[in-house]
Each structure stands twice: as structure tokens, then as C-alpha cells.
Amino acid sequence: MDIIGNGFLARHLRSIAHGHRGVVVAAAGVSAALHTAPEAFRREADLVRDLVHRCRRTGERLVFFSTASSGIYSTPGRPGTEDGEVRPATAYGRHKHALEQELSASPVDCLVLRLAHVVGPAQPAHQLLPALAAQIRSGSVRIFPGARRDLIDVADVVSVVDALLTAGVGRTIVNVASGCAEPIEHIVDHIQLRLGRTARWTYGTPVVTQDIDITRLRTLVPAVDAMGFAPGYFRAVLDAYLPSPQLSA
């Protein structure tokens, strides 16, 4: 496996790189859901197009990481599915969806993975867990009523990618998530518990969050059933990467 990039996800994927010849992973794209800088979007688009040209020449499979956040799934009601209607609600979501469409129209064998909120060690400060933890440590955290977040352990993401590639899955889109979006208040409560701190909550504009459907993931990767994806899974994920109250005091 040739991993393009040196960021959070790329570093974790290196543990399986030796096992997948003929696979190129684009892990150097925009990772901030609130990103709006055109030049960053342009760099990722240029990278993806360069990799498409490469894979056309070599016959390699291309793995592209998109998003299963509210940037893509922003319609309330039934959970968001890979083949359902998509109405990107942010510039980030529109950018990722446009690249998905380019890849679908290309002749290369491409596996598009729509990621939920990945949690793991040494994450960039802008991602969900470190951002919330930093707010709580500062004494004030911003809450958007109605927001729910689907958390998934980076170790489980790596296992899923490994299983999909081992099974030869390609030319499709797969939601990679726990399927259990938790109210943001529950997530903040648990982070406070782990850190042994209580922050002042301020409130933003209420939002509506669409759940993520993982039926396709469960079909393609039966091992998902042993990963604990169920209500409360988020607590185990947070416990794995946050200190105990005694250590954080």
C-alpha cells in the first residue's frame, strides 16, 4: 500500500501498509470540517486528479477518504445512506462530494470511505475530541443543541480499511461509522468526567443532525459486529484516549 500523506490517519494506516499491494491511499486531504479555504480544497483536488492519472496507468486501486459528517448528511429523518440523496450543508461537504462524483465518473477502481468523527492518539487540535477537551480545560465549552456526533476509534477504522481491502472491495462508497450518533451534551459530559473538570456551557443555534446508516459496512465487514458498535460505544472510545480523573487532576 502506498500511503500519500503524513497526517493522523496516514500514520495509523501504516500498520497495514505492507499487506495491500496495488493500493494507493489518498490520506493527505482536507480534514477540518469547518475548512473553507479555496486553496486547501484546490490542493486536495489536484492531488486526487494526479492519483487518478497514476491509477489509470498502473491499474492500482485508489482509496479516498470523504466525510459522513453533517457536511454530507444534513437532511433530517432517515439515516444517511451511500446511495441516498446527499445535500452537502458546508463548503467542506460540497468539496468532498464533488470529488466523490469525479471519482465515480473516472475509470479507476476507487473505494470511497465516508468517515464519521475519528478519535485516537495525537490528533490535530482542530478535530472533535481535542477541540472539546481544550474548551473544557479552558473553562467554557460551546454547545449546539440538537447536535449529535458519531465517534469511531481510529483503531477500528484501520481494521475496517484492512478488511475491505482484503475482501477486494472497490468501485463503491462505504460509510465508516459506529452508526450511533450521540447527543453532544452526552459527549461533553463524559469528557468532563474523564478530565475531572466542569466547564461553563454556552449555547449556539440549534441544529438538526442526520444519523449515519452502516448497513453496507456490516454486510461487507461482518467483523464489525464484534467491534461494539452500539449505544454507549462512544464512552469506550473516549476512555481509551482521555486520562482518568485521577491522572488529569
Side-chain angles (χ1 to χ4, degrees), residues 2-187:
D2 186 8
I3 301 171
I4 310 301
N6 295 294
F8 168 66
L9 194 55
R11 293 195 301 273
H12 285 277
L13 288 170
R14 286 176 190 148
S15 64
I16 62 169
H18 64 282
H20 301 287
R21 291 185 178 181
V23 174
V24 180
V25 179
V30 179
S31 64
L34 297 179
H35 214 123
T36 59
E39 59 271 21
F41 293 152
R42 188 161 48 249
R43 282 195 299 271
E44 183 175 24
D46 288 344
L47 170 65
V48 168
R49 289 163 191 155
D50 287 345
L51 292 177
V52 167
H53 291 314
R54 167 182 166 170
C55 292
R56 287 184 68 176
R57 293 193 312 271
T58 63
E60 293 167 296
R61 176 178 298 139
L62 177 59
V63 177
F64 173 70
F65 293 106
S66 185
T67 180
S69 71
S70 56
I72 285 283
Y73 294 128
S74 61
T75 305
R78 60 190 304 178
T81 63
E82 295 90 344
D83 296 328
E85 182 181 12
V86 170
R87 295 180 181 177
T90 65
Y92 174 75
R94 290 188 289 273
H95 162 73
K96 290 291 190 180
H97 188 236
L99 288 179
E100 288 184 7
Q101 292 177 308
E102 281 195 40
L103 290 168
S104 295
S106 80
V108 303
D109 182 358
C110 184
L111 175 60
V112 174
L113 303 179
R114 289 180 178 167
L115 298 180
H117 291 276
V118 183
V119 175
Q123 283 188 269
H126 66 260
Q127 293 186 349
L128 183 68
L129 175 56
L132 286 175
Q135 288 185 58
I136 290 167
R137 288 186 175 107
S138 76
S140 178
V141 62
R142 187 78 163 165
I143 301 291
F144 291 87
R148 289 179 292 123
R149 295 292 180 262
D150 189 314
L151 308 186
I152 183 168
D153 192 321
V154 69
D156 289 334
V157 171
V158 172
S159 295
V160 164
V161 173
D162 191 28
L164 288 169
L165 293 177
T166 298
V169 176
R171 300 187 187 279
T172 192
I173 299 172
V174 182
N175 288 334
V176 179
S178 74
C180 301
E182 295 289 341
I184 194 66
E185 293 88 349
H186 294 180
I187 294 171

